[in-house]
RNA sequence: GCGCCUGUAGCUCAGUAGGAUAGAGCAACUGCCUUCUAAGCAGUAGGCCGCUGGUUCGAGCCCAGCCAGGCGCGCCA
């Protein structure tokens, strides 16, 4: 929609240059915006103000020339110069009506564009350590990552979802040992003393019991996995199940352990060494990351010969780059922002442009109940799990709430609000918009009114109320919203868009009867309703939220 | 101390690439409505966009400095 208007303005500028009304100098990029005020038209441009210094003429004079050209376009109702030199463009209602027609035609495809031109994007998210269940913070990252992947796909990118499994190193070892102690506890019936850094959650006991059921059964023979292997894989199963129930599936589960097994960690260190980015000091092996903008150099191999976590991370990111993605997205908890510098340093050290890397930081979630914070014991593994929250409020509300705010802003998640079937709950407000439309359509069907697949476009001219035009205009901006959400990697824009759409539709419904004795008007309004329902469903799908038929 | 994020209406938050008189929802106040499903309507009120300076035709947005809150600054993962 905006593209069409951009074209109109551009050709008016070209024409002015051709006719000598403007100098043929460099024309600035045409910026088209949607004015906040209705009186400023459907679109406006500040092109004249940008040209003023180059033309050395008052912006309003230039605006008048351009506006005259724009006004000649058949799609344009009128074109005015306003304020310091804005050009306000008012489109003919027929333009909006044809927009509605094209939305109905595109149906579930409406909202998809080819802005990404098939460029490959990898988005790595969640990547929680398999040492405990997913908590509420992981949930937010999961919702953001998954929805962003949907949005990028809709905007024409080729998206791969990836989960990096930290199945090597100290933490999973400790998990295995924790399970071993619990098993001992069960077998001996005596309480066992647990070291401070061991995992003490209930899930460890469950895994211990599972292990005993499976491998200590009488008459069992054959190979027995290590506690570590068993515990890690059991934890991953749980995580995968939680995610699946949260409607998230990954294309790739990438194992940290496999990096080591394939010798990729060594390869990466060797490559860095060849590039002169490695040195030894105090018995440890260092990556000279400060040469590439990091705060301090980083240890890869400790004096005791152990690798650091970062050593596998450099190998992992080297593999990502080798796969040929044009964009790498990492969704991290805000507590990881200190890692950005070293990863960027690595990419630069390997000779790559680090601007391909985009890191999205997810701020913490504060759970609230009726406006008061829910106390979250951080110690002893007593955190609120994603499972608890999605079981309590439902997946739809949970996902929507995670996506209602910018990722880098703190989120107050009110459990009671999320559950309530009340207008102040934005999830129900939006979903109900869809359900209500389905209900209207089936009511019409009962009355024998069917929505035709093909119709005379002139029928839509009955949609002549300002409110109706307003809804159509909002529908028309959906593609731009998806595109912007994709390019800026801000899924919350879609959630806001949907809340606004519902906020336009509900009042319209309240004031206007759709199914009436006026057959033409009924069809026209049904078509409008259908379009709203389609866009609501398309938007909700991007968020991973269902669009119910009934509520 | 250094780095990152945040600071916008009573509350929770939007604010498009620097544009015009800064918006929404909730809460509050006034008056209505009860429907194709109740999640509504009309109106009112509410603001030093953390503070100070700068950049320019124009700043909530960009720059510098301060203030406040959160997070991070290991040969931890």
């Amino acid at each position: 929609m905006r593209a069409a208007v951009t074209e109109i303005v551009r050709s008016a500028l070209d024409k002015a240059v051709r006719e000598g009304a403007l100098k043929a100098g460099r024309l600035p990029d045409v910026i088209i915006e949607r004015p906040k005020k209705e009186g400023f038209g459907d679109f406006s441009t500040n092109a004249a103000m940008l040209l003023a210094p180059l033309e050395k003429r008052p912006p309003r004079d230039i605006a008048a020339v351009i506006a005259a050209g724009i006004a000649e376009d058949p799609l344009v109702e009128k074109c005015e110069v306003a304020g310091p030199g804005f050009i306000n463009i008012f489109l003919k209602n027929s333009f909006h009506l044809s927009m509605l027609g094209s939305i109905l035609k595109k149906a579930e495809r409406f909202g998809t564009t080819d802005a990404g031109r098939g460029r490959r994007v990898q988005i790595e998210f969640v990547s929680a350590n398999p040492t405990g269940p997913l908590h509420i913070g992981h949930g937010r990252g999961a919702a953001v990552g998954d929805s962003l992947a949907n949005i990028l796909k809709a905007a024409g990118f080729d998206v791969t979802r990836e989960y990096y499994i930290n199945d090597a190193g100290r933490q999973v070892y400790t998990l295995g040992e924790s399970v071993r102690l619990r098993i001992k506890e069960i077998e001996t019936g005596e309480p066992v003393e647990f070291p401070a850094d061991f995992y003490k959650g209930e899930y460890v006991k469950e895994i211990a019991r599972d292990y005993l059921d499976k491998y200590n059964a009488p008459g069992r023979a054959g190979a027995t996995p290590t506690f570590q292997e068993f515990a890690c894989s059991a934890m991953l199963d749980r995580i995968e199940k939680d995610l699946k129930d949260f409607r998230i599936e990954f294309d790739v589960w990438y194992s940290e352990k496999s990096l080591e097994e394939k010798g990729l960690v060594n390869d990466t260190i060797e490559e860095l060494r060849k590039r002169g980015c490695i040195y030894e000091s105090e018995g440890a092996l260092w990556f000279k990351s400060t040469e590439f903008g990091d705060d301090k150099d980083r240890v890869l191999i400790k004096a005791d010969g152990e690798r650091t976590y970062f050593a596998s991370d450099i190998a992992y990111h080297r593999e990502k780059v080798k796969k040929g993605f044009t964009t790498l997205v990492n969704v991290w908890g805000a507590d990881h922002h200190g890692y950005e510098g070293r990863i960027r340093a690595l990419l630069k050290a390997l000779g790559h442009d680090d601007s391909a890397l985009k890191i999205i930081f997810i701020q913490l979630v504060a759970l609230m109940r009726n406006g008061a914070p829910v106390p979250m014991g951080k110690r002893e593994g007593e955190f609120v799990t994603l499972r608890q929250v999605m079981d309590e409020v439902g997946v739809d509300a949970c996902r929507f709430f995670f996506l209602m705010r910018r990722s880098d802003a703190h989120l107050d998640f009110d459990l009671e609000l999320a559950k309530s079937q009340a207008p102040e709950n934005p999830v129900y407000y939006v979903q109900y918009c869809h359900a209500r439309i389905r209900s209207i359509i089936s009511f019409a069907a009962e009355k024998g009114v069917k929505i035709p697949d093909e119709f005379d476009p002139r029928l839509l001219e009955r949609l002549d109320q300002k409110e109706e035009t307003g809804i159509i205009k909002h529908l028309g901006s959906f593609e731009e919203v998806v595109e912007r959400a994709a390019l800026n990697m801000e899924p919350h824009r879609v959630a806001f868009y949907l809340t606004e759409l519902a906020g336009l539709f509900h009042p319209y419904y309240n004031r206007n009867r759709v199914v009436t004795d006026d057959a033409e008007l009924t069809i026209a309004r049904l078509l409008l309703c259908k379009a709203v329902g389609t866009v609501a469903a398309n938007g909700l799908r991007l968020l991973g939220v269902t669009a119910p038929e009934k509520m």
Side-chain angles (χ1 to χ4, degrees), chain A residues 22-275:
Chain A
L22 290 177
K23 291 178 196 161
R26 272 179 74 85
L27 294 177
D29 283 345
V30 175
I31 296 171
I32 303 290
E33 57 189 22
R34 289 174 183 274
K36 292 171 199 155
K37 296 279 171 194
E38 218 175 309
F40 295 151
D42 296 314
F43 289 92
S44 75
T45 176
N46 60 353
M49 285 181 289
L50 295 176
L51 281 168
L54 303 170
E55 295 283 327
K56 299 196 176 70
R57 285 164 62 192
R60 287 192 63 108
D61 284 6
I62 302 168
V65 172
I66 303 169
I70 293 171
E72 286 172 17
D73 193 283
L75 296 174
V76 174
E77 174 75 33
K78 61 176 172 171
C79 184
E80 299 173 344
V81 178
F86 289 103
I87 299 168
N88 294 335
I89 302 163
F90 297 77
L91 296 168
K92 286 198 176 135
N93 200 35
S94 59
F95 177 89
H96 296 121
L97 295 180
S98 72
M99 187 76 213
L100 177 59
S102 111
I103 292 168
L104 288 163
K105 207 167 174 185
K106 288 183 188 163
E108 66 277 356
R109 289 195 333 277
F110 179 66
T112 61
T113 64
D114 66 344
R117 298 202 165 73
R119 274 171 299 188
R120 296 179 59 218
V121 179
Q122 186 216 58
I123 170 161
E124 183 217 322
F125 58 112
V126 188
S127 297
N129 289 331
T131 52
L134 297 177
H135 57 67
I136 190 79
H138 294 130
R140 188 178 185 191
V144 169
D146 186 59
S147 173
L148 180 56
N150 290 339
I151 291 167
L152 287 167
K153 208 164 217 169
F157 290 90
D158 178 3
V159 183
T160 302
R161 291 169 166 85
E162 186 156 322
Y163 187 119
Y164 180 55
I165 311 165
N166 299 119
D167 53 359
R170 176 127 212 109
Q171 283 188 137
V172 278
Y173 169 78
T174 306
L175 177 72
E177 287 304 290
S178 305
V179 169
R180 190 175 64 79
L181 285 190
R182 284 298 181 209
I183 287 173
K184 190 176 163 199
E185 200 171 59
I186 293 168
E187 285 181 333
T188 62
E190 310 257 319
V192 175
E193 184 77 8
F194 268 68
D197 62 336
F198 272 39
Y199 300 98
K200 301 177 196 68
E202 194 57 34
Y203 61 92
V204 179
K205 292 182 193 167
E206 288 169 15
I207 293 171
R209 278 192 289 269
D210 288 350
Y211 187 94
L212 287 172
D213 289 348
K214 219 163 169 184
Y215 295 106
N216 256 16
R220 202 202 152 272
T224 306
T226 63
F227 296 119
Q228 179 176 327
E229 282 165 353
F230 183 82
C232 184
S233 128
M235 235 16 271
L236 274 174
D237 286 349
R238 285 155 183 253
I239 288 172
E240 193 170 354
K241 173 80 165 60
D242 282 357
L243 289 170
K244 199 164 186 178
D245 291 344
F246 202 48
R247 303 185 191 133
I248 296 175
E249 294 192 38
F250 286 87
D251 302 304
V252 178
W253 294 78
Y254 201 100
S255 152
E256 176 184 1
K257 210 160 80 183
S258 75
L259 288 166
E260 179 62 46
E261 286 163 1
K262 290 182 202 152
L264 292 167
V265 178
N266 281 333
D267 288 358
T268 310
I269 292 173
E270 280 320 302
E271 180 171 352
L272 287 174
R273 196 193 299 278
K274 274 183 208 141
R275 290 172 178 270

